Amino acid sequence: MPEDTIIKSEAAAKAANMVDYAATYDSFRWEDARREIDGLPGGHLNIAYEAIERHVAAGHGAQVALRWIAKSGERTDYTYLELSQLTNRFANVLRSHGIEKGARVYSLLGRTPDLYIAALGTLKAGCVFCPLFSAFGPEPIRARMEIGGANVLITTARLYKRKVSALRDLLPDLRHVFLSDGMAEGTDQLSPLMEAASPEFTAEPMHPEDTALLHFTSGTTGKPKGVVHVHDAVVAHHMTGRLALDLRPGNTYWCTADPGWVTGTSYGIIAPLSNRVTMIIDEAEFDVARWYDILDRESVNVWYTAPTAIRMLMKAGVEATKGHDFSSLRFMASVGEPLNPEAVIWGNDVFGMPFHDNWWQTETGGIMIANFAAMDVRPGSMGKPLPGIRAGIVEVTEDGLCEVTKPLAIGELALRPGWPSMMRGYLHENARYEKCFRDGWYLTGDLAMRDSDGYFWFVGRSNDLIKSAGHLIGPFEVESALMEHEAVAEVAVIGVPDETAGERVKAFVGLKPGYAPTEELMLELSGHARKRLGPAVAPKEIAFRKNLPKTRSGKIMRRLLRARELGLPEGDISTLESDEQ
Ligand code: ATP
Ligand code: MG
């Protein structure tokens, strides 16, 4: 249930965007947003042009675009002008190998500058870019390259030898493999080609509806889908970056997401550059001390991260923040999973501002519902629809679809299509795509409710809803209640079959350091949940685990816990990461 807590947004007071947000909310038209980007003659445009070239043309070439922090801690800066020239060289390398507009260029790279240069150079050349997580194993790589008909792959010698070389025969469309370092048979080294290539290239003028990006979903609910996005999406990336993340030219901004999932591209490459910020890119994996160090030393102004990371910071305790100065931080946001109220409040205590939760999907291409800078935050709520986005709670019945307007009624979260970054299809899965639309709505597959002030509250994935003794129970509510307990670091809640109740609630709990998984603690957690939620909703069973099964984008895979509980096949686990009993 929605909490009564409201956190007055400090950021609001400082938000220059607040004024135009308030003024434009009702009258906002995507047509007007289109005027905020430059475009190219004849109604054409190119994402890479908006991200880089227009800033260089406007005299900002000397501003740092990317600051790369290598695993070793060494920093390297790339200005907008340097990024322009490097991406031009990359586009020329593609052209000189006969790779034309529309070709599919994949990357399998860690968060190194090459990844960003390849992404933007590919778009500049009018090719379709598809980033893969470098941690994927050979089979997920093969499947995704086959589905998308990969023509080109950029990777490293190490990754190529370990994961790709044995697959070459299975990928007949793959014409070229470029290695950003090292050598391997059947591949080309990128560095000498880049050096020989011209630093001049004119961004390919694209039709707004030309395909730009192919992104695979996280695979949280099943087999990942290949989602198609077009160049026009940049209009939404730009606007939502400004409205939902409060990005302002010249800011230092850190998005912690890997470009292997959509946040790392929409808000880890395109939106920040189109809004002319200086982006921090950290090559390393999550590490508490390193992250606090980056926020402090780099004077990060805007920080975009995810609930799993926030919960790990909370787990490490406030002591870990001691001695750090976060006074440059102006805005912090979170996405990817529901953000427990506890985490929002913790953010407010530690950083002096709440985490601003926002909701979207690979399919929507950009942020749809958000706690804006200009808005008071209700911890546990995902906020309100952005200007230009109409969201509703709907019920799908045999007669069709009806919008539920009663406050706090649970239904499926749906959106009226029409924003520029909406997917244009699931690759080779048209029936699945068509099924997402009904009576003029796009159905998200998530359950939510709206309160009387228009705030939206996430309830759970529609597959995760628990039906117990006539009650409908959203896992998020139960998880958030358990998160309030000082011993709990992370928690996942599922429904397991029960003879009398139909389903009963079971919780899997990971503990903070210093807490032992004892019978006594289990009883204490049970008692805490019953007090908070009532006996009908509180978990009947609690199991302790080292950590929870998560996707590589950090999402808890409840379906895997459920499948194991029921002794069913595990299904597609190509994106599974941490998973210790
Ligand atoms: P798949 O579609 O393959 O099962 P996925 O849905 O996890 O995977 P993504 O597109 O990466 O793939 O994630 C989008 C989903 O993440 C949303 O539909 C929603 O369930 C969840 N999500 C994202 N942001 C939030 C948020 N702020 N609050 C609650 N849930 C969120
Ligand atoms: Mg999904």
Side-chain angles (χ1 to χ4, degrees):
M1 273 298 130
E3 311 287 316
D4 297 331
T5 323
I6 291 179
I7 302 181
K8 293 275 174 203
S9 185
E10 275 294 311
K14 302 179 202 162
N17 285 341
M18 184 170 127
V19 183
D20 60 18
Y21 155 70
T24 55
Y25 194 90
D26 292 326
S27 60
F28 182 93
R29 297 285 172 274
W30 284 108
E31 286 320 307
D32 303 332
R34 236 170 227 105
R35 279 197 283 279
E36 297 215 3
I37 62 160
D38 281 8
L40 294 169
H44 290 83
L45 85 178
N46 186 307
I47 292 176
Y49 181 88
E50 302 304 332
I52 312 170
E53 302 318 310
R54 68 174 175 138
H55 305 313
V56 176
H60 300 290
Q63 185 189 320
V64 175
L66 314 180
R67 165 162 295 170
W68 180 57
I69 307 173
K71 278 185 189 152
S72 66
E74 197 184 326
R75 297 138 96 199
T76 316
D77 285 351
Y78 296 82
T79 64
Y80 275 92
L81 180 61
E82 285 165 336
L83 192 58
S84 163
Q85 292 173 342
L86 286 164
T87 52
N88 285 347
R89 286 178 192 272
F90 186 86
N92 281 319
V93 170
L94 292 180
R95 281 290 184 274
S96 66
H97 285 74
I99 299 151
E100 296 301 328
K101 221 168 123 169
R104 317 227 185 209
V105 177
Y106 277 56
S107 66
L108 180 70
L109 292 165
R111 286 184 300 280
T112 55
D114 300 300
L115 168 55
Y116 296 79
I117 292 162
L120 292 156
T122 296
L123 293 169
K124 231 178 210 182
C127 301
V128 178
F129 184 66
C130 179
L132 298 177
F133 273 110
S134 61
F136 277 154
E139 177 48 30
I141 292 171
R142 187 206 57 77
R144 284 162 180 74
M145 289 180 71
E146 188 189 288
I147 292 171
N151 303 125
V152 177
L153 174 70
I154 327 292
T155 185
T156 64
R158 194 178 63 91
L159 290 171
Y160 179 76
K161 286 176 195 160
R162 278 178 44 202
K163 301 183 179 187
V164 187
S165 66
L167 306 172
R168 273 305 271 273
D169 293 345
L170 303 172
L171 298 166
D173 294 327
L174 185 60
R175 301 206 299 268
H176 294 282
V177 175
F178 296 108
L179 300 184
S180 66
D181 68 8
M183 282 192 268
E185 208 187 314
T187 67
D188 291 306
Q189 280 181 276
L190 196 55
S191 311
L193 294 170
M194 288 283 280
E195 265 163 47
S198 160
E200 305 286 331
F201 187 90
T202 306
E204 196 66 50
M206 303 303 286
H207 187 279
E209 288 300 311
D210 282 338
T211 303
L213 296 159
L214 175 62
H215 261 296
F216 287 88
T217 59
S218 292
T220 314
T221 58
K223 184 169 170 273
K225 296 147 273 193
V227 175
V228 175
H229 288 291
V230 298
H231 275 269
D232 204 35
V234 68
V235 175
H237 295 146
H238 179 79
M239 272 318 283
T240 56
R242 190 153 80 65
L243 292 170
L245 300 180
D246 200 28
L247 297 178
R248 305 181 199 171
N251 277 177
T252 298
Y253 164 74
W254 185 25
C255 168
T256 61
D258 188 285
W261 89 288
V262 72
T263 302
T265 303
S266 294
Y267 299 98
I269 303 179
I270 303 170
L273 294 177
S274 85
N275 281 288
R276 192 166 51 80
V277 308
T278 295
M279 263 167 47
I280 302 294
I281 298 163
D282 183 22
E283 185 186 16
E285 294 309 314
F286 175 85
D287 178 86
V288 177
R290 186 177 172 106
W291 276 36
Y292 286 138
D293 224 43
I294 291 176
L295 288 170
D296 175 350
R297 194 172 29 125
E298 304 303 337
S299 303
V300 172
N301 305 125
V302 180
W303 181 33
Y304 196 20
T305 188
T308 299
I310 297 169
R311 287 192 290 260
M312 287 199 277
L313 294 175
M314 291 167 72
K315 187 174 170 179
V318 185
E319 304 74 49
T321 65
K322 293 274 149 62
H324 284 294
D325 173 6
F326 303 123
S327 57
S328 297
L329 262 182
R330 188 186 74 242
F331 193 76
M332 327 193 288
S334 165
V335 71
E337 278 203 299
L339 186 65
N340 314 96
E342 199 62 17
V344 178
I345 293 162
W346 180 83
N348 203 41
D349 291 345
V350 172
F351 299 100
M353 76 197 81
F355 283 104
H356 294 73
D357 187 21
N358 57 55
W359 176 96
W360 59 291
Q361 314 176 297
T362 311
E363 288 87 340
T364 68
I367 301 170
M368 298 281 108
I369 297 178
N371 290 281
F372 308 83
M375 221 167 102
D376 295 335
V377 172
R378 296 192 174 176
S381 160
M382 16 193 222
K384 295 183 181 184
L386 291 196
I389 302 299
R390 165 101 157 82
I393 303 295
V394 304
E395 204 176 350
V396 186
T397 66
E398 277 168 16
D399 306 330
L401 190 145
C402 67
E403 190 174 358
V404 186
T405 49
K406 198 167 136 238
L408 302 182
I410 296 176
E412 184 159 356
L413 178 62
L415 303 158
R416 289 280 191 201
W419 64 93
S421 65
M422 177 56 173
M423 68 165 160
R424 299 302 195 268
Y426 286 137
L427 208 59
H428 311 314
E429 292 194 88
N430 203 42
R432 203 169 176 186
Y433 174 70
E434 297 288 338
K435 261 182 73 179
C436 299
F437 300 90
R438 195 140 173 216
D439 297 345
W441 289 94
Y442 162 68
L443 298 165
T444 66
D446 286 344
L447 298 174
M449 50 195 185
R450 181 175 37 201
D451 67 22
S452 48
D453 296 320
Y455 283 75
F456 282 72
W457 301 78
F458 184 82
V459 171
R461 310 277 187 140
S462 47
N463 300 337
D464 292 340
L465 195 70
I466 302 162
K467 298 177 192 78
S468 185
H471 295 277
L472 288 182
I473 302 168
F476 178 52
E477 185 187 358
V478 183
E479 290 163 6
S480 288
L482 283 166
M483 277 298 290
E484 289 169 7
H485 193 282
E486 58 184 9
V488 176
E490 56 177 6
V491 51
V493 162
I494 61 167
V496 297
D498 184 277
E499 269 181 21
T500 45
E503 277 187 307
R504 67 176 188 279
V505 178
K506 176 163 184 179
F508 296 84
V509 172
L511 295 173
K512 284 190 186 152
Y515 290 92
T518 60
E519 181 76 26
E520 200 186 343
L521 180 57
M522 194 184 294
L523 289 173
E524 191 181 316
L525 289 176
S526 272
H528 165 80
R530 263 203 311 279
K531 208 160 82 204
R532 273 298 271 108
L533 302 162
V537 177
K540 297 277 181 296
E541 214 180 317
I542 295 178
F544 292 118
R545 281 183 61 106
K546 260 220 181 73
N547 61 29
L548 301 170
K550 289 189 209 80
T551 66
R552 296 207 170 276
S553 49
K555 292 160 188 280
I556 296 172
M557 279 168 116
R558 294 178 191 79
R559 71 166 159 104
L560 197 57
L561 293 169
R562 208 160 42 223
R564 286 175 184 163
E565 203 66 23
L566 303 180
L568 295 172
E570 294 195 334
D572 187 303
I573 50 165
S574 61
T575 60
L576 181 65
E577 191 181 32
S578 61
D579 188 23
E580 284 177 76
Q581 282 292 333

